[in-house]
Amino acid sequence: LAAVHHGKRAASGGECDFAVACAVSLKLVPHGTLGAASAGMLSIDGRCKTLDARANGYARSEGVGALVVRRGDEGTLVCGSAVRQDGRSASLTAPNGSAQRTLLLCALGHGALGVSEIGGIEAHGTGTALGDPIEAGAVAAVFLAHCGSAHDSLHIGSWKASTGRTEPGAGMAGALKLQMQLMDASLSPNAQLHALNPHVRGV
């Protein structure tokens, strides 16, 4: 996603006619999986249960994807984007909700969009009991606090629930899913969601 962000800005700024953003994630050696398992980060049943009460970690997966970003509005239009470092966090697995709220507002501001103009979000959504509620809280803080009851509905999903987490390729997988949904004017269900995480429901 950082490559898409900078590629779009380079193309829009006239540095190039188009840019290709690529992401690759291959699990060729076991060390990363062993390390994540030792840290208790992986789901014991190999499923990313995004936003679900059964969320118990993520599943590692592989993926390769690419997007071509061009100057102008050809194809899927990227109205705005933003990149932000997470800043101080309680731990590696505890995202910074404040940084996430700032990132959302920056992306909306860059695209000159109001929250009421957004109908869906492709979430990070790794399927962890701690990370999902923090992300949901950041989304709620931006979209509920700034539009009140004017926002009829906001669809939130994550491709990780279907395919696992491709780690450095996760953002690309989510972007490609979102592009397909825009092209088909459809919304795919959030796989593995049986019962909403109560910490998400209370956000």
Side-chain angles (χ1 to χ4, degrees), residues 20-96:
V20 181
C22 303
V24 178
S25 180
L26 300 176
K27 309 298 185 277
L28 303 177
V29 294
H31 308 95
T33 300
L34 293 172
S38 297
M41 298 165 66
L42 299 184
S43 167
I44 58 173
D45 53 3
R47 297 286 186 272
C48 289
K49 302 175 210 58
T50 303
L51 303 175
D52 193 272
R54 301 168 299 133
N56 61 354
Y58 76 94
R60 302 184 81 214
S61 63
E62 298 181 312
V64 177
L67 277 174
V68 177
V69 288
R70 295 182 176 86
R71 193 180 320 162
D73 58 356
E74 302 170 25
T76 302
L77 179 62
V78 179
C79 295
S81 62
V83 173
R84 180 177 172 84
Q85 204 272 343
D86 198 42
R88 185 182 297 274
S89 299
S91 71
L92 176 65
T93 59
N96 184 327

Side-chain angles (χ1 to χ4, degrees), residues 104-142:
L104 288 168
L105 290 170
C106 286
L108 288 167
H110 181 255
L113 294 169
V115 291
S116 61
E117 297 176 85
I118 306 300
I121 290 183
E122 175 64 18
H124 182 57
T126 52
T128 59
L130 176 62
D132 286 355
I134 291 174
E135 183 176 13
V139 170
V142 169

Side-chain angles (χ1 to χ4, degrees), residues 35 43 51 86 91 97 116 146 150 158-159 163 188 190 198:
S43 167
L51 303 175
D86 198 42
S91 71
S116 61
H146 292 79
S158 176
W159 193 239
T163 62
S188 61
N190 199 19

